[in-house]
Every structure is written in structure tokens, then in C-alpha cells.
Amino acid sequence: MSARDDDIEDSSAPLIEHLAELRTRLIRSVLALFAGICVLFIPVQGDFLAEHVLRFLLVPIEETLRALGDPAPTLQYTSPQEYLFVLFRIGLVFGFALAFPVIAHQMWRFIAPGLYKSEKSAFLPFIIASPVMFMAGAAFAHYVVTPLAMAFFLGFTDAPSLFANVLSGAVDVDPTAVAPVADQGLKITFFGKVNESLQTSLVFIMAFGLCFQLPVLLTLMGKAGLVSAAGLGAVRKYAMVGILVLAALVTPPDVVTQLILFTVVYGLYEVSIILVRRVEKKREKELKAQGLWFEDDPAEGIDDDPLMREFDEDAKK
């Protein structure tokens, strides 16, 4: 066997070990996800936990319908499997949220051996901050943005969904007394679907959860030296335009909601600049302690470097 074959064989052993470890970490992550999904289908007070989560997510649309005069808000599903698939979607999304600590731990255990001690101490806070900021964005979307969006969308309806209950026999009253026959044209009534209403809530939660990752992302990039506080401040006007475009895309055509999103995301951008500036000051302090920081002229420090002096002397010879 040649020396080249020995090198190839020696290098394949660590690769196989890394792949085996990755497989183990992925299996544990998948099992954690499966356990999280199963938790959502535990019966609680006669219903699955996923159904309680669904009702919680649909609270904004329920409160909006009640404010519009509907005493019994109702959502429907139009295919036999639709409601089950809705519960599976909730189980997948929130099961992943429950399993995220385990998944993050498994991924960290896989990549940590390849990091220096300083890199571990620098990277770990961002792993903790990321889910915290995502939850903050999700809470902001659920309690502030979604109610405003639902009020805007449903404000165009001219007939509450009580008619659906009356016509289906849910309310034992004379239909003509509640919904008299109209001879002035077509009545447009809101009959909400469960999956579409859930989709709207999840879109807002995901959008704002990702927007709230902005300080984490920019601070991490600042720590890696990819961005600077001065650079972020210089492109502030372009960032404002980008945030306005983002607000127009992910929110309904409601000026109030768009202004709220713009104010929040731009505030996070300014917070990111402050955090990046703090990272730069910390790095500057560490470099000064090591004697590697030159404030005025870097050439002065180079001239005082004994290695560079020796190199110049050799060059002159």
C-alpha cells in the first residue's frame, strides 16, 4: 500500500466518525420532534392540546367578530380531512418549538468540538438569544398585529357569521326574524375556514418572529467583522426604505399596521447598531490589551515591530 493510500485511509476514519455522530444527533433530534408532536395530541379537558392551541391562535379573529356584532363566532372546514390536517400542522409547528431545546443542544454538541474556546463563548449567547427574540416577535404578532389585521379585513363584512348558525339550526329561532329576505341584491357574508384563518395567524407569527432576529443576526455579523456600526449607520436611509417595503409586503394595506411594523423593525435596527458598537469596543479593548491595536498610524506600530525591523534589514542587504 502506498503512502498516498495510507493518507486517504487515515483521513477517512475521522470522516466516518463525524458522519456517525451526525446520524446519532439527527436521530435524537427527530425523536425529540416526534415526542413534541405527540405532546400536542395529549387529551386535555376532553380535547387534544393542539385544539386548545388552535383556539388560542384564533382568539384575534374571534374577538374581532364579536366586536362586529357576532355573538357566536363560527369557523368551518369544507373537507373531511381538513380539520385533522390543521391539527397536524399545529402539532408539527409547536412540536418543533417544544423540541427546539433538545435539537439545539444536539446541534451544539456536534459543532462545539470544532470550535475554539473563544468561539464557543462568543457563539453560545446567540443560540440562546435567537429563540427568545423569536418568541418576542411571535407574541407581538399575536397580541398586536393580528388583531389589527383581522379588524381591517373583517371590517368590510356587512353580515355576521351568526347567519350560518341560524340557517344550520344551531339557534332555534325563526330565520326570517334574524335574516329577513332581502330584495336589494346579494348579501355577502363571512364564512371563515379554519385552515385559512390559521394560515393568516401563522404567517404573521413567522414574519415577525424572523424580523425580531435582526439584532441577533447583525450583532453576530458584527462580531465576525462582516459589518460595522459606522457602516450600518451610513446605510440607515436605505434600511428605512427596505423596512417600509417589508411592512407593505407582510401586513395588510392598513397604514396603522404598517407604521407599527416599521417602528418596531426600525427600532430593532437602531438597537442592532448599538449592540454592534459595543462589540467593536470590546474587540478594541482586547486588541489593546494584546498590543495589537494602533489608534493613529498603523505604520508606527509596524516600525516598532522587531520582526518587521529584521525583515527590513535583510531586504537592505
Side-chain angles (χ1 to χ4, degrees), residues 2 7-8 16 48 89 100 120 126 128-129 152 154 158 163 176 180-181 186 212 218 228 259 273 287 290 292:
S2 64
D7 293 339
I8 294 175
I16 297 300
F48 292 126
R89 178 189 291 185
F100 181 79
K120 292 180 183 178
F126 295 98
I128 299 174
F152 176 82
L154 296 177
D158 64 344
F163 295 160
T176 59
V181 177
L186 181 69
F212 272 59
L218 291 181
S228 64
L259 287 177
I273 295 178
L287 292 176
Q290 298 173 8
L292 301 175

Side-chain angles (χ1 to χ4, degrees), residues 22 87 116-117 126-127 147 152 260 299 304 312:
L22 178 60
L87 296 183
Y116 293 107
K117 186 177 180 180
F126 295 98
I127 295 180
F152 176 82
I260 291 175
D304 295 336
D312 291 338

Side-chain angles (χ1 to χ4, degrees), residues 162-302:
L162 176 61
F163 295 160
N165 295 334
V166 173
L167 297 178
S168 62
V171 181
D172 188 15
V173 295
D174 183 8
T176 59
V178 179
V181 177
D183 55 358
Q184 297 180 352
L186 181 69
K187 281 288 185 180
I188 300 176
T189 306
F190 172 73
F191 292 93
K193 293 188 63 177
V194 176
N195 61 340
E196 294 176 355
S197 300
L198 175 65
Q199 176 69 19
T200 302
S201 297
L202 290 180
V203 165
F204 282 122
I205 288 174
M206 294 299 297
F208 280 84
L210 294 177
C211 287
F212 272 59
Q213 299 295 312
L214 185 63
V216 179
L217 177 61
L218 291 181
T219 305
L220 183 60
M221 294 176 66
K223 202 167 187 65
L226 299 177
V227 298
S228 64
L232 293 175
V235 298
R236 185 180 278 111
K237 56 183 178 181
Y238 301 106
M240 293 176 65
V241 175
I243 294 171
L244 284 173
V245 173
L246 176 67
L249 291 176
V250 303
T251 58
D254 178 14
V255 177
V256 176
T257 307
Q258 293 175 357
L259 287 177
I260 291 175
L261 176 60
F262 171 79
T263 303
V264 171
V265 177
Y266 182 73
L268 292 174
Y269 185 81
E270 293 294 337
V271 170
S272 302
I273 295 178
I274 297 173
L275 293 176
V276 172
R277 187 176 292 116
R278 291 183 60 183
V279 168
E280 291 175 344
K281 289 182 178 179
K282 184 177 179 181
R283 185 192 303 121
E284 178 182 341
K285 184 177 179 180
E286 293 174 353
L287 292 176
K288 285 182 178 178
Q290 298 173 8
L292 301 175
W293 181 266
F294 310 105
E295 293 186 2
D296 297 326
D297 187 5
E300 297 179 3
I302 294 175

Side-chain angles (χ1 to χ4, degrees), residues 17-253:
E17 292 176 2
H18 289 317
L19 290 177
E21 183 182 0
L22 178 60
R23 181 190 61 184
T24 301
R25 302 297 179 188
L26 290 176
I27 291 175
R28 292 177 181 176
S29 299
V30 171
L31 291 177
L33 176 60
F34 180 75
I37 294 174
C38 291
V39 169
L40 270 297
F41 286 91
I42 294 177
V44 178
Q45 297 180 352
D47 294 324
F48 292 126
L49 180 59
E51 295 181 272
H52 293 279
V53 174
L54 174 62
R55 294 190 185 99
F56 173 76
L57 293 176
L58 297 179
V59 164
I61 190 172
E62 176 189 354
E63 293 180 346
T64 302
L65 288 172
R66 291 187 184 278
L68 291 173
D70 186 353
T74 303
L75 295 179
Q76 62 179 342
Y77 58 94
T78 56
S79 62
Q81 72 278 8
E82 181 178 333
Y83 188 68
L84 180 61
F85 286 168
V86 166
L87 296 183
F88 275 134
R89 178 189 291 185
I90 293 177
L92 183 61
V93 173
F94 288 87
F96 177 80
L98 291 176
F100 181 79
V102 177
I103 296 174
H105 177 71
Q106 294 300 320
M107 295 299 101
W108 173 254
R109 290 291 301 272
F110 179 72
I111 65 174
L115 301 176
Y116 293 107
K117 186 177 180 180
S118 58
E119 293 174 336
K120 292 180 183 178
S121 61
F123 194 68
L124 187 58
F126 295 98
I127 295 180
I128 299 174
S130 182
V132 172
M133 293 301 295
F134 185 89
M135 292 299 297
F140 180 79
H142 180 74
Y143 291 106
V144 178
V145 179
T146 306
L148 289 174
M150 292 301 173
F152 176 82
F153 287 131
L154 296 177
F156 290 100
T157 184
D158 64 344
S161 59
L162 176 61
F163 295 160
N165 295 334
V166 173
L167 297 178
S168 62
V171 181
D172 188 15
V173 295
D174 183 8
T176 59
V178 179
V181 177
D183 55 358
Q184 297 180 352
L186 181 69
K187 281 288 185 180
I188 300 176
T189 306
F190 172 73
F191 292 93
K193 293 188 63 177
V194 176
N195 61 340
E196 294 176 355
S197 300
L198 175 65
Q199 176 69 19
T200 302
S201 297
L202 290 180
V203 165
F204 282 122
I205 288 174
M206 294 299 297
F208 280 84
L210 294 177
C211 287
F212 272 59
Q213 299 295 312
L214 185 63
V216 179
L217 177 61
L218 291 181
T219 305
L220 183 60
M221 294 176 66
K223 202 167 187 65
L226 299 177
V227 298
S228 64
L232 293 175
V235 298
R236 185 180 278 111
K237 56 183 178 181
Y238 301 106
M240 293 176 65
V241 175
I243 294 171
L244 284 173
V245 173
L246 176 67
L249 291 176
V250 303
T251 58

